[in-house]
Amino acid sequence: MTIPRRSLRAAGAFAAATVVGLTGAVLSAGPAAAHTPTWAVTCNEVTLDLTAYNSNVANTVTVTVDGKDLLPTETFGKEFHKTLELPKHEQELTVHLVVKAGDGDRFSKDDTKQAPVCEDNTPTPTPAASESKPAEAPATEAPAPTATPSQSSPETAPAAASPSPSSPDLAETGSSSATPIIGGAAVAVLLAGGGIMWSVRKRRATQG
């Protein structure tokens, strides 16, 4: 069976159009799958890793925190890598990322994340004045006792009591002035005794 030439031409044209269409779909799908905007937010920083972008066009990236610029609009090519430090904060921050691809808005990215509060940024409550304890005064040490006794006037010995004028006279000893009188009295007694005995003997002799 002979196929007309017109039919062959029509089939060839259809095949060519199909190939072109598939090629265009692959080319158009390639950039869409290649754009990779990766970013992360912690309590103190924002990390950006934008890869596989079209280097033949101008791509831009912007980062804001609570409406204020953390990264002003910056242009990049195929890749963009950067770490941004967040300001210290006592409550959550809203971080907004905007990436605009130069080869079409369908490859752009608009995303928002929250930055939590870091634990070390939590303010420590100050104690009230009434709760604060007064500083304790250092204890003063008692002076150590001295090894040598303090010099003081020696105690005066009590004076010997003098006899009162009204007290009776003490007995006189042998050395007193009455000794010669006693001796004389004794001699007189002896003489008197001798005289009496002499008189008795003489009387007896007379009577015999």
Side-chain angles (χ1 to χ4, degrees):
M1 185 175 90
T2 303
I3 299 174
R5 291 182 177 180
R6 291 181 179 179
S7 298
L8 292 175
R9 290 177 180 176
F14 178 76
T18 301
V19 171
V20 171
L22 291 175
T23 303
V26 172
L27 292 176
S28 62
H35 296 72
T36 308
T38 303
W39 72 306
V41 177
T42 63
C43 70
N44 57 359
E45 66 182 15
V46 178
T47 304
L48 302 175
D49 290 301
L50 311 178
T51 59
Y53 278 80
N54 189 351
S55 60
N56 297 323
V57 296
N59 307 300
T60 61
V61 56
T62 306
V63 179
T64 59
V65 176
D66 287 346
K68 298 179 180 180
D69 286 341
L70 182 64
L71 175 66
T73 302
E74 191 167 335
T75 303
F76 67 97
K78 184 179 179 180
E79 295 182 356
F80 183 84
H81 303 280
K82 199 163 192 177
T83 300
L84 307 172
E85 184 177 356
L86 290 171
K88 291 185 179 180
H89 51 281
E90 298 179 1
Q91 57 184 2
E92 288 188 349
L93 299 177
T94 300
V95 184
H96 186 201
L97 170 69
V98 177
V99 179
K100 291 184 179 181
D103 51 359
D105 290 341
R106 65 185 180 278
F107 307 133
S108 299
K109 185 176 182 65
D110 191 323
D111 196 10
T112 301
K113 293 184 179 182
Q114 299 295 322
V117 178
C118 296
E119 294 182 359
D120 57 352
N121 286 344
T122 304
T124 304
T126 55
S130 58
E131 296 178 359
S132 60
K133 295 181 179 180
E136 296 182 357
T140 57
E141 297 182 357
T146 56
T148 57
S150 59
Q151 296 181 353
S152 60
S153 58
E155 296 182 358
T156 56
S162 57
S164 173
S166 60
S167 60
D169 296 336
L170 297 177
E172 294 182 357
T173 61
S175 60
S176 64
S177 59
T179 300
I181 297 174
I182 295 173
V187 171
V189 170
L190 290 177
L191 293 176
I196 292 172
M197 290 184 68
W198 181 78
S199 298
V200 171
R201 285 179 180 180
K202 185 178 181 179
R203 187 178 295 176
R204 286 179 181 179
T206 302
Q207 290 178 359

